[in-house]
Amino acid sequence: MLEIAPAKVVEIIFLSRETTASAEAELRGLFAAMNVDERAHLTALAWVGRGTYTADEFGQAVVVAEVEASAPTAEYLLGMTDLAENLEAGLEAMGIDVTGEEEDLL
């Protein structure tokens, strides 16, 4: 079960595609406001999206994200190549439809 609202993931996807300082600041604020579970689930979702784990291994990915969190989530995720694409692919792999959330942001 995903412990981060799909709408929040969609907002992160949209913001991570922007290259402005204000978008990065907003992303950092979102990451800072997340609880430990949300940060671990977001990281695991990105890992599923880039193929490090499968959707069936999501629980394992969450545990690894919690245990191995040695850098702040913002630094780690903002340094990830293709963060938006990884999160989108992760949502898709997990079978989570975010069409409504995307339409709300547009």
Side-chain angles (χ1 to χ4, degrees):
M1 180 79 184
L2 192 62
E3 294 292 326
I4 182 170
K8 190 178 284 188
V9 177
V10 170
E11 184 176 5
I12 291 165
I13 290 168
F14 275 80
L15 286 171
S16 66
R17 286 198 170 113
E18 294 184 31
T19 58
T20 64
S22 62
E24 183 177 330
E26 193 170 343
L27 274 171
R28 288 181 183 279
L30 284 171
F31 294 145
M34 288 180 190
N35 64 42
V36 174
D37 289 336
E38 288 176 314
R39 289 192 298 265
H41 281 246
L42 183 67
T43 300
L45 186 64
W47 288 345
V48 168
R50 76 175 182 193
T52 305
Y53 292 90
T54 66
D56 291 337
E57 298 170 325
F58 182 75
Q60 177 186 354
V62 170
V63 171
V64 172
E66 291 171 342
V67 172
E68 294 186 5
S70 59
T73 301
E75 298 307 316
Y76 177 72
L77 291 177
L78 290 173
M80 183 181 282
T81 303
D82 302 322
L83 175 60
E85 290 76 12
N86 291 340
L87 290 173
E88 282 182 335
L91 288 168
E92 184 176 329
M94 297 290 292
I96 300 170
D97 181 13
V98 292
T99 304
E101 288 83 356
E102 290 172 338
E103 289 172 358
D104 288 347
L105 281 176
L106 295 176

